């Protein structure tokens, strides 16, 4: 709201609950083939490779992946997919949380909780009763997340932080990550925005000013509907499905 372009106010087209929405690529046979997900996952998580010298192919796969690659799905994946592509996955998590804990949380709290589950080492999550309860609701979704994050055991501040200290055991160092999933989803997000949507817009709408910002594209007021439509088309071309795109 404080920035303009040549005197015209700006507006952003933003993917709603982008990380959960983009994570649907893990549950879709078309995406595994079109995006070559095996290569992307093995690039970011060497723990899943067959060996140090064998860099193409997984040493093991969860049963749900075999189901997905056969073109099938499960009820919990369908529920998650519908909610995340409609932009209401955090609202769904609010409902699940209230049913499990008998108390309510805000959307921002649900978002923080859910993203911490996605991007935190599984061994730490398994000590969290809420994680266990949510995993019962979405067993196959969480199984895929856990598998992709195999081998990641460090997170931001570690555990057992003592008074006067900033970090404890298992704290990650500079340039280290807490989960492979975060890197993989960022890679795919860049394929959608930078490699697919932006070139389309530059080819067909060269006069429209655009400013990519993570999972959104900022433009001048009056062009937002066009950008919104190009983002939706780009997602369909890349994934075969379209997430919710919000204009704000």
């Amino acid at each position: 709201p404080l920035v303009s372009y040549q005197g015209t106010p700006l507006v952003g087209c933003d993917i709603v609950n982008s990380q959960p929405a983009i994570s649907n690529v893990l549950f879709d046979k078309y995406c595994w083939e079109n995006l070559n997900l095996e290569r992307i996952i093995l690039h970011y998580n060497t723990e899943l490779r067959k060996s140090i010298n064998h860099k193409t192919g997984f040493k093991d796969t969860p049963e749900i992946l075999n189901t997905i690659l056969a073109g099938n799905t499960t009820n919990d994946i369908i529920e998650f997919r519908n909610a995340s592509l409609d932009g209401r996955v955090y609202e769904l998590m609010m409902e699940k949380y209230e049913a499990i804990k008998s108390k309510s949380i805000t959307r921002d709290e649900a978002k923080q909780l859910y993203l911490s589950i996605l991007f935190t080492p599984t061994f730490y999550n398994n000590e969290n009763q809420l994680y266990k309860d949510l995993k019962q609701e979405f067993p196959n979704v969480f199984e895929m997340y856990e598998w992709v994050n195999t081998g990641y055991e460090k997170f931001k501040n570690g555990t057992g932080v003592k008074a006067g200290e900033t970090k404890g055991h298992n704290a990650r160092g500079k340039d280290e990550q807490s989960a492979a999933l975060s890197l993989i989803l960022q890679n795919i997000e860049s394929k959608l925005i930078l490699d697919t949507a932006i070139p389309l817009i530059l080819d067909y709408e060269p006069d429209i000013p655009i400013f990519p910002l993570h999972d959104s594209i900022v433009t001048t007021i009056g062009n937002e509907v066009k950008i919104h439509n190009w983002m939706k088309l780009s997602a369909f071309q890349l994934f075969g499905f379209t997430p919710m795109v919000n204009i704000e």
Side-chain angles (χ1 to χ4, degrees):
L2 302 179
V3 181
S4 63
Y5 177 76
Q6 294 184 347
T8 304
L10 301 179
V11 60
C13 298
D14 177 83
I15 300 174
V16 184
N17 54 224
S18 63
Q19 298 299 299
I22 292 173
S23 76
N24 277 286
V25 300
L26 297 173
F27 314 116
D28 191 288
K29 179 183 178 182
Y30 172 81
C31 291
W32 273 89
E33 297 170 349
N34 190 50
L35 297 172
N36 196 355
L37 281 182
E38 181 174 308
R39 181 188 61 79
I40 296 173
I41 292 172
L42 289 175
H43 173 75
Y44 288 109
N45 192 340
T46 58
E47 292 287 330
L48 295 176
R49 294 175 181 174
K50 285 186 177 180
S51 69
I52 295 176
N53 298 317
H54 193 153
K55 299 179 180 179
T56 58
F58 301 118
K59 62 183 176 185
D60 57 63
T61 56
E63 184 58 37
I64 185 57
L65 178 55
N66 297 325
T67 300
I68 292 166
L69 294 180
N72 301 316
T73 189
T74 60
N75 289 334
D76 66 310
I77 289 177
I78 292 172
E79 182 180 17
F80 171 82
R81 178 187 177 96
N82 290 339
S84 58
L85 295 184
D86 285 344
R88 55 181 181 84
V89 74
Y90 301 133
E91 286 76 8
L92 176 62
M93 293 300 153
M94 290 168 63
E95 296 171 9
K96 298 293 185 182
Y97 183 94
E98 186 170 359
I100 293 167
K101 294 292 189 179
S102 298
K103 60 181 181 180
S104 61
I105 56 175
T106 66
R107 186 182 187 277
D108 285 343
E109 289 172 332
K111 178 179 179 178
Q112 183 177 5
L113 172 66
Y114 179 75
L115 293 180
S116 71
I117 288 173
L118 256 69
F119 306 137
T120 299
T122 301
F123 86 93
Y124 186 73
N125 280 327
N126 281 331
E127 299 176 1
N128 185 326
Q129 186 59 48
L130 178 62
Y131 178 85
K132 295 177 182 178
D133 292 335
L134 287 174
K135 187 176 178 179
Q136 289 186 340
E137 300 287 335
F138 302 97
N140 295 294
V141 174
F142 277 42
E143 183 179 7
M144 282 295 290
Y145 289 164
E146 290 180 0
W147 174 69
V148 170
N149 284 331
T150 297
Y152 279 69
E153 299 182 349
K154 296 181 179 181
F155 56 106
K156 188 174 181 180
N157 295 322
T159 57
V161 181
K162 298 179 181 179
E165 297 180 351
T166 57
K167 294 189 176 183
H169 301 296
N170 295 316
R172 69 186 186 212
K174 184 180 179 181
D175 298 327
E176 287 186 311
Q177 292 289 328
S178 298
L181 184 58
S182 60
L183 301 173
I184 291 163
L185 295 182
Q186 288 170 30
N187 176 284
I188 296 170
E189 180 184 282
S190 71
K191 289 183 184 298
L192 171 60
I193 300 297
L194 299 180
D195 298 343
T196 307
I198 295 299
L200 275 175
I201 296 169
L202 291 176
D203 283 345
Y204 290 94
E205 310 280 1
D207 296 328
I208 293 180
I210 51 175
F211 311 97
L213 182 64
H214 303 302
D215 64 331
S216 67
I217 299 178
V218 177
T219 187
T220 47
I221 286 182
N223 292 311
E224 62 270 22
V225 173
K226 291 181 179 180
I227 299 301
H228 171 275
N229 291 339
W230 284 117
M231 290 177 67
K232 299 278 279 189
L233 176 62
S234 299
F236 187 76
Q237 287 184 358
L238 198 60
F239 306 143
F241 58 76
T242 53
M244 179 73 69
V245 177
N246 186 39
I247 297 175
E248 58 182 17

